[in-house]
Amino acid sequence: DDVTVLKFTKIMKEDGEVEIKPGKNTFLYAKGISEDLNYHQERDLFELTIPEANTPTAEESSENKRKDRNKLKKEDDSAEKQPQENKRKQGGGNGKQTLAEQFASLGPLKLRPLKELRKQLSPPVPAGDPYPFPYPKIRFTEWGHLSSHSKEILKENFGYSKGNWDSLGMNENERKECSQLTDTQRQAIQLLGWDCDVWDCYINHYKSYSAKQLEKHKLGGHVDVVRSAWVELWVNLSEVELESATRLCFTETSWDYGYIGSN
């Protein structure tokens, strides 16, 4: 039942970032064991309304700074702490909460239990199978349900174990395209019933492909669509987004959860 509280400062307007404006804003949170957004155990959106701020003019700012300097000269440390504390509690002295205080007022984010969410999952491959290559059922089978023969191949050639098998994308080999695997590893995936097309699509999702490779295989547009839609849940994807996601061999499990274990 322990709660971890993360506090941070977010500049509302900065280069290369989506600007946070007064009014209703949509934020994304994620929980997981990897720094990569594409394999988080849980993620969702929430809304936060930011109040309008009374921004002083340049002349007012200059005058306020002059007054503040004079005030600091006249007051000792103990005398200045109390008004500053009162001002902080009042949300900047204007009766409005700061952005940080609003986040704090939300309390701990209530993450939906993974087991509960998994019950809502549709089958890994939709009826009609819109995927470009055969579905590698073994890769999306829990470690504990694999045959001893499959486990032996996976352990010896890729260093898989329960931890980096049930959590998708955690094995460093999955970050490589098939051509970057050793000859022995490519022979091993054939023993599993896969080929390089299956590996690059279902396992790597073309993440290791260069821009030139993506262009050659006509995948660049699909990658752009998937990147822009990544914050959405699978059930909320549009037809165009779903088409691109399946072309890159994502399933609902790999898109929303990145985890195939039962715990």
Side-chain angles (χ1 to χ4, degrees):
D1 296 330
D2 292 341
V3 175
T4 299
V5 179
L6 174 65
K7 294 183 178 181
F8 60 93
T9 298
K10 178 68 177 77
I11 299 175
M12 297 182 69
K13 184 176 182 180
E14 54 185 326
D15 293 339
E17 299 288 338
V18 177
E19 181 180 357
I20 300 174
K21 299 180 179 180
K24 185 177 293 185
N25 289 265
T26 302
F27 294 86
L28 168 71
Y29 76 82
K31 182 193 79 169
I33 55 178
S34 170
E35 294 180 355
D36 297 330
L37 183 60
N38 54 334
Y39 287 121
H40 273 77
Q41 204 174 34
E42 187 71 41
R43 71 177 186 272
D44 209 343
L45 304 175
F46 66 94
E47 291 184 343
L48 187 65
T49 300
I50 310 299
E52 292 281 352
N54 296 324
T55 305
T57 63
E59 292 78 8
E60 290 173 334
S61 296
S62 179
E63 178 64 17
N64 289 337
K65 288 180 180 179
R66 185 186 64 79
K67 289 180 179 179
D68 288 342
R69 284 195 296 269
N70 291 338
K71 185 177 181 179
L72 288 173
K73 291 179 182 178
K74 297 177 181 179
E75 296 177 345
D76 58 25
D77 291 342
S78 61
E80 70 180 16
K81 286 181 180 178
Q82 188 60 39
Q84 288 178 349
E85 178 65 15
N86 290 339
K87 182 178 180 180
R88 184 190 66 77
K89 290 180 179 179
Q90 293 170 5
N94 57 9
K96 299 178 180 178
Q97 287 184 311
T98 64
L99 179 59
E101 289 168 337
Q102 286 199 59
F103 272 113
S105 68
L106 292 175
L109 292 172
K110 296 181 179 179
L111 303 179
R112 290 170 291 176
L114 190 59
K115 288 183 179 180
E116 177 183 321
L117 285 170
R118 188 171 285 112
K119 295 176 183 178
Q120 303 171 12
L121 285 176
S122 60
V125 180
D129 192 358
Y131 293 88
F133 305 110
Y135 178 66
K137 184 178 179 181
I138 289 178
R139 181 60 194 93
F140 300 99
T141 300
E142 290 183 46
W143 182 260
H145 296 164
L146 293 174
S147 67
S148 57
H149 176 64
S150 294
K151 286 182 180 178
E152 182 179 355
I153 294 173
L154 293 165
K155 282 181 180 179
E156 291 185 359
N157 295 283
F158 301 96
Y160 276 114
S161 62
K162 176 176 173 55
N164 64 11
W165 175 263
D166 287 350
S167 294
L168 304 177
M170 295 302 294
N171 187 298
E172 61 179 8
N173 289 294
E174 295 190 4
R175 303 186 187 107
K176 302 175 182 177
E177 61 185 89
C178 188
S179 65
Q180 296 172 329
L181 299 176
T182 66
D183 290 341
T184 301
Q185 288 175 325
R186 283 194 291 272
Q187 292 172 2
I189 66 174
Q190 290 179 6
L191 293 175
L192 296 170
W194 309 344
D195 59 18
C196 279
D197 287 334
V198 169
W199 180 276
D200 286 350
C201 195
Y202 284 97
I203 311 302
N204 183 257
H205 302 292
Y206 305 105
K207 294 173 187 174
S208 297
Y209 273 36
S210 65
K212 187 174 182 180
Q213 286 175 294
L214 292 173
E215 182 180 355
K216 176 182 177 181
H217 294 276
K218 299 180 180 180
L219 295 170
H222 292 299
V223 170
D224 291 339
V225 171
V226 164
R227 284 173 177 167
S228 64
W230 192 251
V231 298
E232 298 292 340
L233 293 173
W234 184 266
V235 296
N236 296 329
L237 295 180
S238 67
E239 290 185 9
V240 172
E241 292 166 342
L242 193 59
E243 179 184 357
S244 291
T246 53
R247 180 58 187 87
L248 302 187
C249 292
F250 283 102
T251 66
E252 186 172 7
T253 298
S254 59
W255 181 275
D256 280 349
Y257 307 102
Y259 188 75
I260 58 175
S262 59
N263 294 311

